[in-house]
């Protein structure tokens, strides 16, 4: 069965996150996804708070940009989340937006090499191993976590281009595809990554101005058309669209509201109470 999630965009002021999380949890939303976007909110801080404010909600972070993070620190933080909230944290990592990485002085000449080294070391650390590595970008000397997760901690990788998709299929436990990915592109990605979990974000808007807001997203992201890149309408119309992405190979479809959605809290309730029962 397809998992349905929703995104709490980082444009939401942090002080409003608790109310949205509590609404999502009470409404029965399966997964709430958060972003670590420069220069808005931190992924681990918001995920930890969201997990603490909820009882059953699974919380995803899609994604942590690896250039920003020393792999030992990433492992420490993720191990802590997995021990505090077993089975409820879903963490993705990726290249990050290269312009942003340049702004903070961490852009690297080979993002693919960094991602491979980071994920490989991260997996070993989360697995309780003592790690020594002297890579091009990742350097560890006998590092081991005192409190590794008691069970395997899946690592998802954000990907779009063919090289990163292949890497995600090779070393990741799943792949996150950005909003704007068409069903046909989902099918192509599934062929590359194989059997790992496939998460796709889907631009979504409901209400009387839904088409207008999605058109704003189309312009913002430079899509030639919103067809096959977004879902609009009432719950039945959006559920029908979600099924198309699921049939193309997505295990999880995460509804992504527009940044100007007038009611972010209402959006997560709508996803859980009106769209989910139709899938």
């Amino acid at each position: 069965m397809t998992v349905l999630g929703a995104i709490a965009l980082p444009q939401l002021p942090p002080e409003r996150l608790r109310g949205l999380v509590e609404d999502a949890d009470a409404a029965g939303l399966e997964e709430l996804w958060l972003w670590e976007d420069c220069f808005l909110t931190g992924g681990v801080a918001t995920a930890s708070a969201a997990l603490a404010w909820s009882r059953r909600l699974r919380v995803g972070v899609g994604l942590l940009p690896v250039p920003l993070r020393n792999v030992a620190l990433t492992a420490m933080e993720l191990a802590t989340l997995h021990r505090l909230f077993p089975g409820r944290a879903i963490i993705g990592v990726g290249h990050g937006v290269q312009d942003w990485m340049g702004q903070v002085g961490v852009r690297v000449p080979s993002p693919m090499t960094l991602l491979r080294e980071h994920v490989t070391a991260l997996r070993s650390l989360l697995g309780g191993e003592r790690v020594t590595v002297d890579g091009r970008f990742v350097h560890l000397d006998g590092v081991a976590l005192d409190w590794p997760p008691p069970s395997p901690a899946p690592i998802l990788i954000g990907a779009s281009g063919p090289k990163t998709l292949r890497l995600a299929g090779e070393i990741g436990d799943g792949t996150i595809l950005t909003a704007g990915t068409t069903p046909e592109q989902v099918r192509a990605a599934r062929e590359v990554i194989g059997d790992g979990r496939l998460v796709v974000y889907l631009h979504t808007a409901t209400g009387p101005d839904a088409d207008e807001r999605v058109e704003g997203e189309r312009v913002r992201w430079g899509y030639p058309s919103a067809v096959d890149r977004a879902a609009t309408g009432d719950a039945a119309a959006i559920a029908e669209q979600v099924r198309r992405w699921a049939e193309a190979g997505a295990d999880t479809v995460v509804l992504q509201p527009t940044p100007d959605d007038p009611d972010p809290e209402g959006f997560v309730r709508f996803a859980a109470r009106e769209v989910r029962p139709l899938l």
Side-chain angles (χ1 to χ4, degrees):
M1 179 181 292
T2 306
V3 173
L4 185 72
I7 296 174
L9 292 175
Q11 287 82 4
L12 184 76
E15 58 270 22
R16 284 183 60 180
L17 181 61
R18 181 168 188 164
L20 187 147
V21 168
E22 291 174 344
D23 281 357
D25 199 42
L29 187 69
E30 293 167 277
E31 294 182 359
L32 181 70
W33 283 75
L34 308 169
W35 293 354
E36 181 163 271
D37 263 9
C38 298
F39 299 96
L40 292 161
T41 56
V44 174
T46 51
S48 183
L51 289 161
W53 291 329
S54 58
R55 293 178 297 173
R56 50 159 300 282
L57 185 68
R58 295 191 299 273
V59 176
V61 179
L63 46 75
L64 302 177
V66 298
L68 277 175
R69 294 178 163 273
N70 180 281
V71 69
L73 177 60
T74 303
M76 290 162 58
E77 291 185 322
L78 300 195
T80 301
L81 284 180
H82 286 297
R83 293 186 73 103
L84 288 173
F85 310 101
R88 293 177 55 210
I90 310 161
I91 308 298
V93 300
H95 298 304
V97 176
Q98 293 304 294
D99 286 348
W100 290 341
M101 300 303 100
Q103 277 186 273
V104 297
V106 295
R107 186 168 184 168
V108 298
S110 179
M112 291 293 296
T113 301
L114 171 58
L115 186 58
R116 178 183 289 278
E117 291 182 355
H118 189 104
V119 172
T120 301
L122 179 61
R123 183 179 302 283
S124 296
L125 290 167
L126 293 176
E129 300 178 27
R130 183 169 299 277
V131 181
T132 295
V133 60
D134 187 20
R136 183 175 177 186
F137 302 110
V138 174
H139 306 276
L140 298 172
D141 183 8
V143 176
L145 298 179
D146 286 287
W147 297 106
S151 58
I155 303 170
L156 278 63
I157 296 177
S160 55
K163 291 182 180 179
T164 310
L165 284 169
R166 286 194 293 271
L167 185 65
E170 178 187 347
I171 66 173
D173 298 296
T175 304
I176 303 170
L177 302 179
T178 186
T181 303
T182 68
E184 187 58 37
Q185 289 170 327
V186 170
R187 290 189 187 91
R190 172 58 78 189
E191 291 182 1
V192 173
I193 68 171
D195 296 331
R197 182 182 180 185
L198 183 55
V199 178
V200 62
Y201 299 153
L202 176 60
H203 292 297
T204 306
T206 189
D209 61 347
D211 290 335
E212 179 182 341
R213 286 188 284 116
V214 163
E215 173 63 12
E217 288 292 85
R218 183 199 69 77
V219 172
R220 176 186 177 204
W221 293 104
Y223 307 140
S225 168
V227 174
D228 282 348
R229 297 184 188 272
T232 61
D234 61 11
I238 290 172
E240 181 179 357
Q241 293 298 302
V242 167
R243 283 191 289 269
R244 295 185 60 232
W245 271 263
E247 290 166 0
D251 301 298
T252 301
V253 178
V254 185
L255 306 185
Q256 178 175 318
T258 61
D260 57 350
D261 189 292
D263 184 7
E265 294 85 356
F267 183 85
V268 298
R269 295 193 299 269
F270 168 78
R273 293 177 176 165
E274 299 186 43
V275 180
R276 170 74 265 182
L278 300 177
L279 297 175

